[in-house]
Amino acid sequence: MIKYLGSKRTLLEQIGSVIGAFPEVQSVADVFSGTARVGHNLKRLGFQVTSNDHNAYAATLAKCYVQADAEDWSKDAQLLIAELNRLPGAPGFFTHTYCEQSRYFQPKNGARVDAMRQAISDKSLDPELEAILLVSLMEAADRVDSTTGLQMAYLKSWASRSANEIELRLPDLIARAKNGKSTATQLEAVDAVAGFRGDLVYLDPPYNQHSYLANYHIWETLVLWDKPEVYGIAQ
């Protein structure tokens, strides 16, 4: 999964153990899902999960890792990922903005991102399958970026990993949980909680005044493909 401020990667076992200590719990809502690591792990443990985040990139991560089930999409996604990996670069907005006007990615990789992202858009896929491909592209770009993880700035000199060739991989999809189909939503937190009908709510809100959208604005643009107006050195 992508590099992320406040990720609970090292706490997944503890979180799962705490929730698992209540045998009556079958469904869990993760209201600030971020990378969806927590929801992904809870689904793996058999819980029916509702993952929510207001940011489009985070909601897409949740749709891939929580809502989409491996038995439905793994084969189709793998075929499409292989097809996308064969595409030559086609420089466009992403290359110009994040590789030439700034230095988040090497231009050779930016051109491939442009080509692959446009191809995904042109296919008009089922939302779950599209989310899987977008997450594959997001994670591939994350592996060849030139940042410390946040997108409020890029490194003064190219990170060594940025010279690698971008390559999509199938995300770690898992089968439908024994307690039922999980879902992903993109709502304000209060609306997500108000609409949840289940056993337990997991709350991990942002812990400072900084906007996560500013920290990961490139992923938001990549998911929405809205080619927004940008400003400043960090674009």
Side-chain angles (χ1 to χ4, degrees):
M1 293 184 178
I2 61 172
K3 300 182 286 291
Y4 206 71
L5 182 68
S7 169
K8 298 302 178 289
R9 177 179 58 85
T10 61
L11 297 175
L12 294 178
E13 183 176 349
Q14 292 93 319
I15 293 169
S17 294
V18 170
I19 296 175
F22 298 91
E24 67 275 19
V25 173
Q26 296 185 356
S27 55
V28 180
D30 180 1
V31 182
F32 302 90
S33 60
T35 61
R37 282 185 187 272
V38 171
H40 184 248
N41 189 57
L42 292 176
K43 177 183 176 181
R44 191 189 301 277
L45 293 175
F47 296 100
Q48 183 184 48
V49 180
T50 299
S51 284
N52 176 77
D53 202 288
H54 189 250
N55 292 327
Y57 71 87
T60 300
L61 284 161
K63 188 169 289 185
C64 168
Y65 282 118
V66 177
Q67 180 171 314
D69 296 321
E71 61 269 32
D72 293 335
W73 300 116
S74 290
K75 183 177 179 180
D76 289 344
Q78 190 66 72
L79 290 172
L80 287 168
I81 285 170
E83 177 185 324
L84 293 171
N85 274 328
R86 292 192 293 268
L87 290 177
F93 171 85
F94 194 93
T95 306
H96 176 70
T97 306
Y98 302 119
C99 309
E100 297 171 348
Q101 298 297 107
S102 56
R103 294 193 309 276
Y104 289 102
F105 308 93
Q106 297 272 9
K108 65 174 184 177
N109 285 324
R112 298 281 311 288
V113 171
D114 268 312
M116 291 187 283
R117 180 61 184 89
Q118 189 57 51
I120 293 170
S121 181
D122 291 343
K123 289 181 181 298
S124 300
L125 300 168
D126 180 282
E128 289 186 7
L129 181 55
E130 181 178 67
I132 294 167
L133 297 184
L134 290 176
V135 168
S136 179
L137 180 55
M138 195 188 313
E139 292 180 346
D142 186 62
R143 290 191 292 270
V144 295
D145 77 338
S146 189
T147 76
T148 60
L150 304 181
Q151 295 166 353
M152 299 179 77
Y154 47 84
L155 298 177
K156 290 182 179 179
S157 300
W158 288 109
S160 58
R161 65 178 174 272
S162 71
N164 297 333
E165 298 290 334
I166 190 169
E167 181 182 10
L168 275 62
R169 304 171 187 168
L170 181 68
D172 181 22
L173 304 178
I174 53 181
R176 182 170 301 187
K178 64 181 181 182
N179 284 320
K181 173 77 172 176
S182 296
T183 58
T185 58
Q186 187 182 350
L187 302 170
E188 292 284 358
V190 291
D191 296 327
V193 172
F196 177 62
R197 298 293 179 266
D199 302 320
L200 184 144
V201 174
Y202 171 81
L203 295 173
D204 180 18
Y207 47 84
N208 61 36
Q209 74 275 20
H210 296 298
S211 168
Y212 270 62
L213 191 57
N215 289 332
Y216 305 103
H217 64 92
I218 296 176
W219 302 149
E220 191 79 356
T221 296
L222 186 63
V223 165
L224 295 176
W225 208 229
D226 52 354
K227 305 177 183 179
E229 291 186 18
V230 296
Y231 63 91
I233 294 175
Q235 298 295 290

